[in-house]
Amino acid sequence: MNWTDFIPSGNLWIVWLLQAALAVGVIALAAGALIAILGKIPIVGPILAGIVRIIAGNYERWLSERVPKLAEQVVLSVEERYRKSNLSFEERAQTKLEEAISALQQMAPGLGRDIAQRQVEAALSRIRATGMEQKAGGAK
């Protein structure tokens, strides 16, 4: 065993970065800065700051709780649909990824493609880690 076995692959770094940003609260920090700026506007500033605080809190909670669950559901349903597919491994993997991303974007309107892709990849990693992955026709 080598110490490089513990270092994730290139795409997994992006997923880890997103999860770390949510854990550290980058969205909350950015919202806090915006709230401080908006709060200085006379008369309407405190109202706008309160609205931004509510929206940012809801968005962060939605990203950290609801979207990962939706991504896991999407990945499992796409895996089941392509379980007995006759496509080659590469074609099947690419098709499943694209279908999962588009399905997640439909289930979570307003979610950007890059975030949807990261969420799908993170869900796939979690599913594989827990051993819940459904093997597709003997392919790994």
Side-chain angles (χ1 to χ4, degrees), residues 61-140:
R61 187 172 32 260
W62 180 71
L63 269 180
S64 65
E65 294 174 2
R66 184 74 177 137
V67 173
K69 291 176 186 175
L70 289 174
E72 286 181 13
Q73 291 173 352
V74 165
V75 167
L76 289 174
S77 68
V78 169
E79 286 285 336
E80 182 63 29
R81 269 196 299 272
Y82 284 93
R83 192 167 52 101
K84 298 204 182 236
S85 176
N86 293 329
L87 297 172
S88 70
F89 178 73
E90 293 82 18
E91 291 174 353
R92 184 174 50 225
Q94 185 62 32
T95 305
K96 288 191 309 186
L97 178 64
E98 291 300 322
E99 189 172 325
I101 291 170
S102 66
L104 182 59
Q105 285 182 307
Q106 288 176 354
M107 293 175 77
L111 191 65
R113 178 172 172 72
D114 56 335
I115 294 175
Q117 182 173 352
R118 290 181 201 139
Q119 289 292 335
V120 166
E121 291 169 352
L124 187 57
S125 297
R126 285 191 303 272
I127 290 169
R128 285 182 178 162
T130 60
M132 294 173 23
E133 180 185 21
Q134 301 172 2
K135 300 298 178 183
K140 291 187 178 182

Side-chain angles (χ1 to χ4, degrees), residues 48-69:
L48 291 174
I51 292 170
V52 168
R53 184 178 297 119
I54 291 170
I55 291 172
N58 287 341
Y59 181 69
E60 187 175 25
R61 187 172 32 260
W62 180 71
L63 269 180
S64 65
E65 294 174 2
R66 184 74 177 137
V67 173
K69 291 176 186 175

Side-chain angles (χ1 to χ4, degrees), residues 6-72:
F6 298 110
I7 298 175
S9 64
N11 290 339
L12 194 56
W13 277 106
I14 296 170
V15 174
W16 283 17
L17 183 64
L18 176 66
Q19 291 175 345
L22 288 172
V24 171
V26 172
I27 295 171
L29 290 173
L34 183 61
I35 289 168
I37 292 170
L38 289 176
K40 296 191 187 278
I41 298 173
I43 301 171
V44 295
I47 295 169
L48 291 174
I51 292 170
V52 168
R53 184 178 297 119
I54 291 170
I55 291 172
N58 287 341
Y59 181 69
E60 187 175 25
R61 187 172 32 260
W62 180 71
L63 269 180
S64 65
E65 294 174 2
R66 184 74 177 137
V67 173
K69 291 176 186 175
L70 289 174
E72 286 181 13

